[in-house]
Amino acid sequence: MVNPKKLKRKVLAHEKFRDITKSIQMVALSNIAELKENIANRFLAIAPFTSFFHVPLYKKCIDLECIIMPLNIDKNCCGPHNSEVFTSTKKIIEYLENNNNNYRFFTTSKKGKYYFLSHYPGCIIKHVEGLNKDIASFSIFSFSILAEKLMKIEADRYFIIFNRFINIFKQEGSCYEIGPFNEFANVIIDSAIYMQYVFHRVAIDNKDYLNYINDLYLFGVSLVLMDAFEENEYSSLGARIVAMDNAKKNATKLIDPLTLKYHKARQEYIT
């Protein structure tokens, strides 16, 4: 005869697990609700800079030195979030290798560091941690520091790989491809000369315009990095909601038959 006390403990354990997953899911949902406004405001800030990093304006990515920055997270309960970033990174690597490019990694989490150390030994050139602990602490100042660290590594291309938040149930692998400062400066100067953009003319008419353009470049890269990290964080919250929802459903499926077994065993024990 089955011991009803053991069954009761199993039922209680599964109920506790279900309640924990529900709590994690609710916290993630509330965080996403608070951040919806940030997505719209951030788009307005970054939109003017997207044309400056328009890839067709730069030389073709062939025989270049490249830096790859995959944005992984060290948080738990986020489903396949990191594996999707790894998959996107593999696609970029295949593209670079097919065009005879060299590449190195700038990793941003412990999980990312250990993964790339294992699969691509000797390719990590820089590592930082703790950037995605609290999205509320994200600021253009903190990402300008990160941008300076990234730009100190001389390269012909910088690839920022992350998951873009579409909705709670959908996140897409995305990548920002950033050219070096000298190519960026040429784009700005050519645009000012041939297109007569007022904003560009301000840069060219300034006697110290190269420093002005350098500040503009650093600010643009900082915005791109902030956008990528925030989108990646939103995506991890979406992945967490889905993962916890699946875990909650699986726990419920186990609780119902276990409860029936417990009641049956209890009746048999009494009689």
Side-chain angles (χ1 to χ4, degrees), residues 25 28-29 32 36 165-171 234-235 237-242:
Q25 185 184 31
L29 278 167
I32 283 188
K36 280 184 178 180
F165 179 81
I166 307 301
N167 56 51
I168 290 175
F169 303 101
K170 184 180 180 182
Q171 298 84 41
Y234 302 150
S235 295
L237 290 173
R240 176 174 292 179
I241 290 168
V242 173

Side-chain angles (χ1 to χ4, degrees), residues 70-108:
L71 306 190
N72 299 110
I73 58 173
D74 289 327
K75 296 176 182 178
N76 297 320
C77 307
C78 291
H81 179 85
N82 277 330
S83 61
E84 289 173 356
V85 173
F86 293 145
T87 300
S88 298
T89 304
K90 287 180 183 177
K91 291 179 181 178
I92 293 295
I93 290 171
E94 289 175 3
Y95 163 73
L96 294 176
E97 289 178 341
N98 290 337
N99 288 282
N100 201 32
N101 296 287
N102 295 321
Y103 58 86
R104 293 169 293 172
F105 297 103
F106 188 132
T107 53
T108 59

Side-chain angles (χ1 to χ4, degrees), residues 207-219:
K207 292 180 181 180
D208 194 20
Y209 69 87
L210 278 179
N211 284 335
Y212 182 93
I213 294 175
N214 183 67
D215 291 341
L216 181 66
Y217 176 71
L218 184 62
F219 183 67

Side-chain angles (χ1 to χ4, degrees), residues 55 58-66 95-102 156-157 159 177 183:
V55 174
Y58 299 92
K59 63 183 179 182
K60 292 183 179 179
C61 193
I62 301 174
D63 296 319
L64 301 181
E65 293 293 330
C66 303
Y95 163 73
L96 294 176
E97 289 178 341
N98 290 337
N99 288 282
N100 201 32
N101 296 287
N102 295 321
D156 301 304
R157 282 290 187 281
F159 294 87
E177 183 176 344
E183 291 188 53

Side-chain angles (χ1 to χ4, degrees), residues 18-263:
R18 180 194 60 191
D19 293 340
I20 291 172
T21 58
K22 186 177 180 180
S23 298
I24 294 173
Q25 185 184 31
M26 294 303 295
V27 170
L29 278 167
S30 64
N31 288 338
I32 283 188
E34 292 174 2
L35 296 170
K36 280 184 178 180
E37 187 176 346
N38 288 0
I39 296 176
N41 292 338
R42 190 183 68 253
F43 177 78
L44 293 174
I46 198 173
F49 288 90
T50 53
S51 61
F52 298 151
F53 299 106
H54 191 44
V55 174
L57 297 175
Y58 299 92
K59 63 183 179 182
K60 292 183 179 179
C61 193
I62 301 174
D63 296 319
L64 301 181
E65 293 293 330
C66 303
I67 298 297
I68 301 174
M69 179 186 275
L71 306 190
N72 299 110
I73 58 173
D74 289 327
K75 296 176 182 178
N76 297 320
C77 307
C78 291
H81 179 85
N82 277 330
S83 61
E84 289 173 356
V85 173
F86 293 145
T87 300
S88 298
T89 304
K90 287 180 183 177
K91 291 179 181 178
I92 293 295
I93 290 171
E94 289 175 3
Y95 163 73
L96 294 176
E97 289 178 341
N98 290 337
N99 288 282
N100 201 32
N101 296 287
N102 295 321
Y103 58 86
R104 293 169 293 172
F105 297 103
F106 188 132
T107 53
T108 59
S109 71
K110 287 182 180 179
K111 290 182 179 179
K113 178 183 177 181
Y114 295 141
Y115 175 87
F116 291 106
L117 278 175
S118 175
H119 291 78
Y120 304 93
C123 289
I124 295 179
I125 191 172
K126 189 78 175 177
H127 174 73
V128 294
E129 291 179 19
L131 291 169
N132 51 17
K133 285 184 177 180
D134 182 12
I135 196 168
S137 65
F138 285 4
S139 69
I140 193 64
F141 174 74
S142 60
F143 283 101
S144 66
I145 295 173
L146 180 62
E148 288 179 350
K149 290 181 180 180
L150 180 62
M151 294 302 119
K152 282 181 180 179
I153 307 171
E154 293 187 4
D156 301 304
R157 282 290 187 281
Y158 303 89
F159 294 87
I160 317 300
I161 303 171
F162 60 99
N163 282 338
R164 186 172 293 282
F165 179 81
I166 307 301
N167 56 51
I168 290 175
F169 303 101
K170 184 180 180 182
Q171 298 84 41
E172 289 184 352
S174 299
C175 175
Y176 278 124
E177 183 176 344
I178 302 173
F181 170 72
N182 60 332
E183 291 188 53
F184 175 85
N186 290 335
V187 169
I188 295 291
I189 293 169
D190 290 344
S191 297
I193 292 172
Y194 296 111
M195 301 180 188
Q196 297 296 310
Y197 285 161
V198 175
F199 182 68
H200 293 175
R201 288 302 319 174
V202 172
I204 304 306
D205 292 339
N206 190 321
K207 292 180 181 180
D208 194 20
Y209 69 87
L210 278 179
N211 284 335
Y212 182 93
I213 294 175
N214 183 67
D215 291 341
L216 181 66
Y217 176 71
L218 184 62
F219 183 67
V221 173
S222 302
L223 279 178
V224 166
L225 284 171
M226 188 171 179
D227 178 69
F229 271 87
E230 286 189 345
E231 285 285 350
N232 203 57
E233 184 67 16
Y234 302 150
S235 295
S236 72
L237 290 173
R240 176 174 292 179
I241 290 168
V242 173
M244 292 301 97
D245 187 58
N246 291 334
K248 183 177 65 176
K249 288 177 180 177
N250 291 334
T252 302
K253 288 179 182 179
L254 291 171
I255 289 170
D256 291 341
L258 275 174
T259 302
L260 289 174
K261 286 183 179 179
Y262 162 69
H263 288 305

